[in-house]
Amino acid sequence: MTIAIVSLMLIGYVLICTEHVTHLNKATVAMFCGVVGWVLYVCMGSSFIEVMHAEEFADYLGGMEYTLEASKQFIATNVFLRHFGQMGSVVLYLLATTAIVEVLINNECFNFIKTFLRNQDTNHVLWFTALITFAISANLDNLSTTVLMLMVMRRILRSQRQRMYVGAAIVIAANAAGMFTVIGDISSLLIWTKGAVTPTNYTGSLALSAVVATVIPTFFIRRALPDRLEIERPTYSFRGRDSVLEIWQRAILMVLAFGGIWFIPTFHRITLLPPFLGALCVLGVIWVANEIININRIKSEQPQTISVGRSLQYEVLQVIMYTVGACLCVDVLIEIGAMRAVSGWLDANIHSTYILSIVLGLLSAVMDNIVLVLSAVNIYPVLSQAEALTPYLQNFMQNGQYWHLVALSGNIGGCLLPIGSVAGLALMKVEDVSIWWWFRRITMGTMLGWLCAVGTYFLVDYFLR
């Protein structure tokens, strides 16, 4: 049965990585493989339990006779629900942050971006775009940030070729910024919720590397663009005073949203409750503020609403479903012992966290970085001081090198090709960017930025630890 489950996961992984060729939705593939994998696991659950949970299962039986029904109940209550708890907390967190983004978009809180970017000077547009993307993605998830900025670019830049280059800078900045905060990316969130890192140490270790990984590729992208960009002329339409908020009202919503999100790690440290509860708390505050600020529009006989981009809603929902499926797949691989076998092979043959991170980054270029990072995070447990008896094993303690390098190389390596990240796939859909175009124009600059970022992390880790 182990061979059957592993084979199923490998087939599913190939289909996920070739979504741009087969046009099979990777969320559907991941969900199917995850569910079928757990069904197969239950069919032979007794043999897996005897290997992975022998002592725990004996305590569960409490001297009672072993039955198949007892085995299934143990799997459902003691095995599956434990994994589901971690997966569910990530999904609820993503749903809460997505709702926060929609409230901000509904109130036109990001309109200032279009105002600042409506400039023909390339340096102004490109670097300001990278800066804004970096700042937003560090607080929100990188897919929402990417789709939001691509929507803005379509309304500003007339030339598709220029939008492709600026869009590449957006993808790289979004992935780099999402990598260095525990709330900016799914992989970072998973590492944090596992207890592998603490927010302050994590951000301090990776912040400079994130800046390097953004600046170097953006510099090369700037060289490929002309000095003046083709800007669309702005169009104005009168919507009435009941449809537009004052600047100070938008500022209040922005402060509540971003300030609340930054407070989530503190909320978790104080209460020890899951981060998604903090995100839901912030969402509740934002909704109350939204109702108060928009009271006149809500009470109007003909209230006017601002439609949220359906592409943003659809893409984020797809990522959430894909994350659920990927978590199910990885969890069943953990329970059959496949992850333990992989970690044993890596320890015996590679035995270097930096080499592991480089291999992970290269694989992320052609494979989806979410499932790769998710797999890499779950290969090793978080070791205690008593368990980390050698310098190598200390890399797997809380705030160890391994967790930082997995996030760094997984996210930046995923930018080597557009198919390596959900943000890159969003750019491919919006601007019809091809893999070959990206490889010829963007890959070398991104690789240089990634390697320099890894080198920067080494220097920071060496001199500051």
Side-chain angles (χ1 to χ4, degrees):
M1 191 59 71
T2 300
I3 296 176
I5 294 176
V6 172
S7 300
L8 173 67
M9 298 306 163
L10 290 176
I11 294 172
Y13 205 69
V14 171
L15 293 175
I16 289 172
C17 298
T18 57
E19 180 192 22
H20 59 287
V21 177
T22 62
H23 301 292
L24 289 174
N25 190 295
K26 63 181 181 180
T28 304
V29 174
M31 289 289 289
F32 176 82
C33 291
V35 172
V36 174
W38 274 101
V39 171
L40 294 176
Y41 175 83
V42 170
C43 293
M44 294 294 293
S46 57
S47 60
F48 294 126
I49 291 173
E50 291 174 0
V51 176
M52 303 295 293
H53 305 281
E55 184 176 346
E56 187 179 353
F57 185 52
D59 293 338
Y60 176 81
L61 290 176
M64 294 186 301
E65 184 180 356
Y66 167 82
T67 62
L68 183 60
E69 186 68 21
S71 172
K72 292 180 179 179
Q73 288 180 351
F74 176 81
I75 292 172
T77 57
N78 290 48
V79 178
F80 180 77
L81 284 183
R82 183 172 64 248
H83 292 293
F84 182 80
Q86 181 182 13
M87 176 182 65
S89 65
V90 173
V91 169
L92 287 173
Y93 183 91
L94 292 174
L95 288 173
T97 54
T98 301
I100 292 172
V101 173
E102 291 191 3
V103 171
L104 295 178
I105 294 177
N106 250 332
N107 289 282
E108 300 181 326
C109 292
F110 296 108
N111 275 14
F112 74 95
I113 299 176
K114 290 187 289 184
T115 303
F116 279 103
L117 290 181
R118 205 170 289 280
N119 190 308
Q120 288 186 315
D121 182 70
T122 301
N123 287 322
H124 177 95
V125 173
L126 181 63
W127 289 105
F128 186 79
T129 299
L131 175 63
I132 290 295
T133 304
F134 193 91
I136 296 177
S137 184
N139 295 274
L140 305 175
D141 67 279
N142 49 10
L143 175 62
S144 297
T145 303
T146 300
V147 175
L148 171 66
M149 294 302 296
L150 292 178
M151 289 166 55
V152 172
M153 283 298 106
R154 288 189 69 84
R155 298 176 183 177
I156 293 177
L157 294 181
R158 184 182 307 168
S159 168
Q160 183 188 17
R161 176 181 175 275
Q162 293 174 1
R163 290 200 304 267
M164 291 165 66
Y165 277 106
V166 177
I170 290 172
V171 169
I172 295 168
N175 279 288
M179 167 268 297
F180 88 99
T181 64
V182 296
I183 56 177
D185 182 74
I186 294 176
S187 59
S188 304
L189 184 63
L190 289 168
I191 294 173
W192 177 37
T193 55
K194 182 177 180 175
V197 297
T198 56
T200 302
N201 178 277
Y202 183 80
T203 299
S205 300
L206 293 175
L208 190 57
S209 295
V211 173
V212 171
T214 302
V215 170
I216 292 178
T218 305
F219 171 78
F220 285 100
I221 290 173
R222 168 61 187 91
R223 296 180 61 184
L225 290 169
D227 293 333
R228 309 286 287 181
L229 298 177
E230 300 177 24
I231 303 296
E232 291 281 3
R233 292 184 178 181
T235 57
Y236 301 97
S237 60
F238 180 72
R239 292 191 294 261
R241 293 294 300 169
D242 65 333
S243 65
V244 180
L245 297 183
E246 300 291 344
I247 294 178
W248 65 269
Q249 293 173 318
R250 299 177 191 173
I252 289 175
L253 291 175
M254 293 283 281
V255 170
L256 289 175
F258 288 99
I261 290 175
W262 270 102
F263 182 72
I264 291 174
T266 304
F267 171 89
H268 174 66
R269 185 175 66 251
I270 294 173
T271 65
L272 299 182
L273 293 172
F276 77 85
L277 284 175
L280 290 174
C281 180
V282 175
L283 175 60
V285 172
I286 290 293
W287 266 345
V288 170
N290 177 66
E291 294 290 319
I292 295 173
I293 289 175
N294 289 284
I295 188 67
N296 292 330
R297 188 168 67 182
I298 294 172
K299 289 184 176 180
S300 174
E301 294 181 359
Q302 294 180 335
Q304 183 170 356
T305 60
I306 302 167
S307 60
V308 180
R310 296 301 174 188
S311 59
L312 176 60
Q313 294 176 331
Y314 177 78
E315 293 294 340
V316 172
L317 181 60
Q318 290 291 306
V319 170
I320 291 175
M321 298 305 295
Y322 171 62
T323 302
V324 172
C327 287
L328 290 173
C329 292
V330 172
D331 290 342
V332 76
L333 289 175
I334 293 173
E335 291 302 327
I336 66 175
M339 291 302 189
R340 180 184 295 180
V342 171
S343 65
W345 186 90
L346 292 175
D347 290 341
N349 294 275
I350 296 182
H351 206 71
S352 170
T353 53
Y354 279 95
I355 295 177
L356 282 175
S357 70
I358 296 299
V359 173
L360 176 67
L362 294 175
L363 290 175
S364 295
V366 295
M367 303 178 181
D368 186 271
N369 64 346
I370 291 180
V371 72
L372 266 179
V373 173
L374 183 60
S375 301
V377 167
N378 286 283
I379 288 175
Y380 294 98
V382 182
L383 301 181
S384 64
Q385 184 72 44
E387 294 171 317
L389 302 178
T390 65
Y392 174 72
L393 291 178
Q394 290 174 3
N395 294 320
F396 304 98
M397 294 173 56
Q398 187 180 60
N399 296 320
Q401 283 185 357
Y402 178 76
W403 314 111
H404 297 156
L405 290 171
V406 161
L408 171 60
S409 292
N411 281 274
I412 308 303
C415 297
L416 293 176
L417 291 176
I419 58 175
S421 68
V422 291
L425 289 171
L427 177 63
M428 292 179 69
K429 294 178 182 179
V430 173
E431 297 298 343
D432 197 26
V433 171
S434 68
I435 299 175
W436 178 239
W437 178 89
W438 185 287
F439 178 76
R440 289 185 297 122
R441 308 291 184 182
I442 309 297
T443 295
M444 292 306 299
T446 305
M447 179 172 287
L448 180 61
W450 166 44
L451 295 177
C452 289
V454 174
T456 301
Y457 172 80
F458 172 79
L459 294 176
V460 170
D461 183 73
Y462 182 80
F463 287 106
L464 297 184
R465 284 205 173 208

